Amino acid sequence: MKKLLIFAVASMFTVSTFTSCEEKTKEEKLIEEMKEDGAEIKTNEDGTKVKMETEDKKVKIKKDDGETKIKVKEDNE
């Protein structure tokens, strides 16, 4: 019984770790990608808005009441 309880607790920690990392990765991957492309990055004072811009791509990330909105605009000329 003790082994079952330890296994259940360890499984909960593992599952919660993977789900919490996945939520952040969309933003972080986009920010890292834009940094690699040499983007100009602007952040407001409280960190709720991030604007990134390269020659052919513009990205806006807005965090509001626990929700994150991401807008990507690509110039295809």
Side-chain angles (χ1 to χ4, degrees):
M1 189 71 169
K2 186 177 180 182
K3 289 181 182 181
L4 182 62
L5 181 63
I6 292 172
F7 179 74
V9 171
S11 297
M12 282 181 30
F13 283 121
T14 304
V15 170
S16 65
T17 302
F18 287 129
T19 55
S20 66
C21 290
E22 194 169 321
E23 291 175 13
K24 295 179 183 180
T25 55
K26 292 177 185 177
E27 290 175 49
E28 291 176 350
K29 284 184 180 179
L30 192 57
I31 291 172
E32 288 176 11
E33 178 185 322
M34 293 296 285
K35 280 182 183 178
E36 289 174 2
D37 291 341
E40 180 181 337
I41 301 173
K42 296 179 184 177
T43 308
N44 68 344
E45 292 178 10
D46 58 354
T48 58
K49 294 181 184 178
V50 179
K51 293 182 182 180
M52 300 175 284
E53 187 174 338
T54 62
E55 290 180 7
D56 36 314
K57 191 173 186 181
K58 295 179 184 179
V59 177
K60 293 181 182 179
I61 300 174
K62 182 179 179 183
K63 298 176 187 176
D64 191 25
D65 294 331
E67 243 182 85
T68 302
K69 297 178 183 178
I70 300 172
K71 293 183 182 179
V72 178
K73 182 179 178 183
E74 294 187 36
D75 296 332
N76 295 328
E77 295 179 21

